[in-house]
Amino acid sequence: MELQRDLCVDMLSQMYKIRFFEQTVDDLFARGLVHGTMHLSIGQEASAVGSISALRVEDYILSTHRGHGHCIAKGADIKLMMAEFMGKETGYCRGRGGSMHIADIEGRNLGANGVVGGGIPLAVGVGLSLKMQGRDEIVMGFFGDGAANQGSFHEALNMAAIWSLPVVYVCENNQYGMSMSTRRAFKIEKMAQRAASYGMPGVTVDGNDVVEVYEAASEAVERARAGEGPTLLECITYRWKGHSKSDQELYRTKDEIESWKNKEPIRRFLELLITQRVISEDEARKIEEEARRTIGEALEYARASPEPEVDTILEGVYA
Amino acid sequence: MELQRDLCVDMLSQMYKIRFFEQTVDDLFARGLVHGTMHLSIGQEASAVGSISALRVEDYILSTHRGHGHCIAKGADIKLMMAEFMGKETGYCRGRGGSMHIADIEGRNLGANGVVGGGIPLAVGVGLSLKMQGRDEIVMGFFGDGAANQGSFHEALNMAAIWSLPVVYVCENNQYGMSMSTRRAFKIEKMAQRAASYGMPGVTVDGNDVVEVYEAASEAVERARAGEGPTLLECITYRWKGHSKSDQELYRTKDEIESWKNKEPIRRFLELLITQRVISEDEARKIEEEARRTIGEALEYARASPEPEVDTILEGVYA
Amino acid sequence: MREITYAEAIREALRQEMARDDSVFLIGEDVGTYGGAFGVSYGLIDEFGEERVRDTPISEAGIMGAATGAALIGMRPVAEIMFMDFTTIAMDQLVNQAAKLRFMFGGKAKVPLVLRTPAGSGTGAAAHHSQSFEAWFIHVPGLKVVMPSTPYDVKGLLLASIRDDNPVVFVEHKLLYKTRGPVPEEEYTIPLGVADVKRPGKDVTIVATSIMVPRALEAAEALAEEGIDAEVVDPRTLKPFDGETVVTSVMKTGKVLIVHEACKTGGVGAEIASRIMESEAFDYLEAPITRLAGLDIPVPYNRTLERHRVPQVENIVAAVKDLLV
Amino acid sequence: MREITYAEAIREALRQEMARDDSVFLIGEDVGTYGGAFGVSYGLIDEFGEERVRDTPISEAGIMGAATGAALIGMRPVAEIMFMDFTTIAMDQLVNQAAKLRFMFGGKAKVPLVLRTPAGSGTGAAAHHSQSFEAWFIHVPGLKVVMPSTPYDVKGLLLASIRDDNPVVFVEHKLLYKTRGPVPEEEYTIPLGVADVKRPGKDVTIVATSIMVPRALEAAEALAEEGIDAEVVDPRTLKPFDGETVVTSVMKTGKVLIVHEACKTGGVGAEIASRIMESEAFDYLEAPITRLAGLDIPVPYNRTLERHRVPQVENIVAAVKDLLV
Ligand SMILES: Cc1ncc(C[n+]2csc(CCOP(=O)(O)OP(=O)(O)O)c2C)c(N)n1
Ligand SMILES: Cc1ncc(C[n+]2csc(CCOP(=O)(O)OP(=O)(O)O)c2C)c(N)n1
Ligand SMILES: [Mg+2]
Ligand SMILES: [Mg+2]
């Protein structure tokens, strides 16, 4: 691919923002400033950014419990996202959702999901609706390798396929569903092989190479938009951090983690951009700083935001 | 295959019994002598008989809502089966189960199932138990083409595969799940292709050819018994009758039904046996009559059997 | 007024609403050419085509998810789960997704859908095709639960349910499908959350749901012959629940029998009884609130056992008499 | 006596029963090396190996089906669903298969299994990881439902549940895992269906389940300072339900508050209230039976809202006082 400067700057910037957002919230948690749990996607930024960059703003996504990256890549206002993370009234979900349920309905992010595999059938419905309404948009549905063993995956992919829906399914295969390695959970090498069961194309890419992800996603998006039906895109990646806040990481080795750090997606992309002279080192530094500042401002905004009022507790259950 | 006489006589006899059993109960229903509904497998006898004949008596099966054939092929006492069908106290399930829930626990038929796809995960558990107990038996789990789009199919086949369980899955693809044709419900040609998603062998056979079914099932059974894990065996067949008692059959043509009648499994097998001189026409007639008599006796037994006593209604909920 | 069946009334509501509103569509197993297992949607595919009367594979979770996703971005799906027993397979999509998305998203999304599903026994279909799970769904914030007992109600409530902006579990009863009654031809809605006094009376209140409403009315006629004047109240919607109408009735009669088909333990009767007890009617109670409900057993196949599993007219009569001694 | 935590008591019960009975095994997501999301089974894989402490793919229906099938032919699986919220995915296997197979087969099979699952909020995990669905399961004939509140009870009840020949839904509470209490080292069982009076009192009965038991006890201490002597009854098992102990208590005190965490509407409080009303205790009631339960909303993420969603000690104190005026 010829590297378009604007797109590349944008993708780099998003990857930085995701990284810094997650480092910041990780720190908040470590310091006891937030409760609950969270699922960090540090190390997986390329798959979120590469795939969502292939979408138009008016396209939809459905995200997962490990959804900060998708949310940012889809163009969320990070202030509102951070406020949601901190359970504030100004957050995207008025503090009701938290990390596992952030949704940016206006930005056409139909939400993270606490249920592994829970969003996969929703994407069928969104695709169906788009098709019935004769709209030009498509929907991208994310899920993990673990989710690919849920019954919902099977039912949904089949429905999307038989009805030729404008859906792109992106499996972020980070090698583990919690402590369960794909080696133990699957008897096949590539999850994307399962696409054949539904008569849809399946593609596996290096999920730490944002350009490769972008290219494969673009093809899938084009196919979906042209009415040629869904694609299953598998991005091979790795999460650096524990599964969630309760993880002792006894199921994998330090060596394994280190080996994946060598495939760090941001540095890889950065080096490519600089070698190919798409941007200069100086520009890169500015992008990084700008991203850092955005997160810093979001944190300030969230901190200064009010908590929900207790007497609003019953709101929002029914329309 | 060399046609072993005993086996062939047995298979022919079972196919006749299934056919006559179902014709008899169809008639009972038509005459208003039973209530509820039923799912007849007339035309599908070869897949039940061919696959179950590959088992040992001590092996297990899990059946479906269209389960009369499996039950008879597994060696049920047809008296008790008919009594169950008529809701009598002497029936296999004391009249509590009826057509959709007949189980012959001693005969190691762990039951028909009213839930499409409901039995597929149970077979995982039975296989797991057999493996953990170090037993030599295996389990054969039946389901239809429609059931292959249930999430339970996906979860169960994956589990059976990754744990190399002694399970043989038999999909009786009779081209329809109620009114939904496989053409509309699947975007692939052969359901057995889905085995590849789980890293298990998948085989498609002519389900109206009892010998072909038997051979493929035997291989799968051998593999399972040898600890080499599960197989997905797809038997292409066709149901002659409506889906159940409420079916107007608007979704298929008379021509289609007729064309399948030409592939009638019993006559086909009979002709083979006679041409190959495995049995004589005279013997065949005796087998047929014997089967007819068995069903007649079962009907008499069932009719003469008592209804459950109302004051036993609370029994059997808890052990 | 013209009389049609409960099934026809449902079909008419579907037809009228689909004609009026392009965003309404049907999705479920065999809802098209087959017309659904009970023929309810029969013929609609000819009028509206297979896009809007969509047959699905046998994938209940997928159906529920498809409906929820479609509702999220502007459609108004009417999903069908062929038997209420199989809502068990769609529970995550219904309970965790459809019901909660709005709240979890801070009130910034809505999920206008109807899940139609037939409940109940009496057809000889045994334990996997005879259940009534409405009690589960009243326990789920975000869902509404509707359970109509007459052709008139089923039409008006279905139209109201489709137009409602929330996920509605719409529980039909197989034995009601063929019952007939007067139904206006024009569109009309019955608001969710309004009970109906099906028969006024002064001696005892019978609160009955679904198929138990006609049985309670029949029982009331029998009781009337013995000089007992029973009032029959049909909540019609279980969530939201019209406590006021029930409480007013109980304050008048001082005695109440609650009748439903589902298992007694954990059934909606417990909730209704508790609401009465927590209301001003408590002081008017002349006898303990009584529940008459299905036995706590799976539905047996045998016809006689099946019948004894569920309250019948004679049981209602007997229970009322017990209450009055 | 030695004090250990609720989580340790569960682990000890599992260890002892697995050592005693080869047919017992654990199956669930991350139950092995990870030790389960709450570390409950931590270390057991080292003792019993990965066959008997079996990690599964993320396939809740598959887990439940595997357990049910294994139980059908002689094993005694202890399955874990990581959060009770995800029993929604396993409902068909649990409700239609495990619970009903025995009855449907005329009493000729049994399904001895335990489904362990943590319920409840208070961990900031929001609407998909905080639910309590015990009310659903008491509505299902064939299931037993156990909900222990102390380390002592959880050990004895778990051993009894594993030895029971029926499917048992064993509801743990996340906030109880770290609570400590005296637990005998040896094996002992507590029969299913026997309530426990956790604190005797004469003025009012508080029936509380799970995490609400320690809260009710704390409330009772606060009330005692104001001269109100509350009796706290913990049903421990919700199905079978020990109505007798509850009724005896209510006949003594004449007033009863029922407290649980799950949503009020359709919660087990309704069933318990109805049982009391239908008992001889009705005539002893000096005030309406009162339920204090979770608000009818999904569990919010925000810490303050989350806390207000669920009864706290101060709410119990206030509710008792309301009952006594
Ligand atoms: C239905 C369901 N089961 C279990 C869980 C607990 N859980 C949360 S994330 C997770 C692992 C998911 O693995 P994967 O899909 O690969 O996503 P990843 O966490 O690796 O991004 C599990 C088991 C859940 N949230 N939902
Ligand atoms: C979970 C579930 N959904 C729907 C039904 C209603 N139903 C009974 S049989 C059937 C068709 C099943 O098709 P298939 O699996 O191909 O088996 P066949 O009937 O063709 O033998 C349907 C939809 C059911 N019993 N269970
Ligand atoms: Mg993963
Ligand atoms: Mg079929």
Side-chain angles (χ1 to χ4, degrees), chain A residues 185-259:
Chain A
F186 292 82
K187 231 188 137 179
I188 53 173
E189 283 305 310
K190 291 182 176 171
M191 207 287 305
Q193 286 176 245
R194 289 191 172 170
S197 279
Y198 313 107
M200 72 167 80
V203 184
T204 302
V205 297
D206 177 348
N208 280 14
D209 180 341
V210 72
V211 178
E212 193 177 331
V213 174
Y214 174 79
E215 288 178 339
S218 297
E219 267 184 48
V221 166
E222 211 169 295
R223 200 178 294 128
R225 208 176 311 274
E228 292 162 21
T231 303
L232 174 57
L233 172 61
E234 177 185 23
C235 300
I236 306 290
T237 183
Y238 198 81
R239 71 168 150 73
W240 289 14
K241 295 281 178 170
H243 163 71
S244 72
K245 288 294 135 191
S246 71
D247 191 351
Q248 301 182 59
E249 300 195 58
L250 302 172
Y251 51 84
R252 59 182 188 176
T253 63
K254 288 231 162 59
D255 278 0
E256 183 182 288
I257 301 175
E258 283 315 309
S259 79

Side-chain angles (χ1 to χ4, degrees), chain A residues 132-133, chain C residues 17-18 21-25 52 74-77:
Chain A
M132 290 182 77
Q133 296 176 2
Chain C
E17 198 60 6
M18 289 176 79
D21 181 351
D22 276 352
S23 65
V24 177
F25 70 101
R52 289 185 70 196
M75 299 295 282
R76 291 188 171 273

Side-chain angles (χ1 to χ4, degrees), chain A residues 60 91-94 96-97 101 103 105 110-111 113 115 118 121-122 124-126 128-130 132-133 135 155 158-159 162-163 313 315-319, chain C residues 25 27 51-52 54-57 59-63 65-66 68-70 73-75 92-93 97 102-106 108 141-144 165-166 239:
Chain A
Y60 290 89
Y92 269 120
C93 308
R94 301 183 62 199
R96 273 69 174 171
H101 302 290
I105 304 292
L110 297 173
N113 210 308
V115 180
L122 298 179
V124 170
V126 174
L128 189 57
S129 192
L130 292 172
M132 290 182 77
Q133 296 176 2
R135 286 159 67 177
E155 299 188 6
N158 188 57
M159 289 167 108
I162 59 172
W163 296 334
I313 193 168
E315 290 176 9
V317 180
Y318 291 96
Chain C
F25 70 101
I27 181 166
E51 288 279 311
R52 289 185 70 196
R54 186 174 292 269
D55 279 342
T56 68
S59 307
E60 281 80 6
I63 294 167
T68 306
I73 66 157
M75 299 295 282
D92 171 56
Q93 290 299 316
Q97 310 300 336
R102 177 176 177 76
F103 182 86
M104 294 190 306
F105 296 170
K108 292 180 186 160
L143 297 181
K144 297 190 175 182
D165 274 343
N166 299 285
K239 190 166 194 160

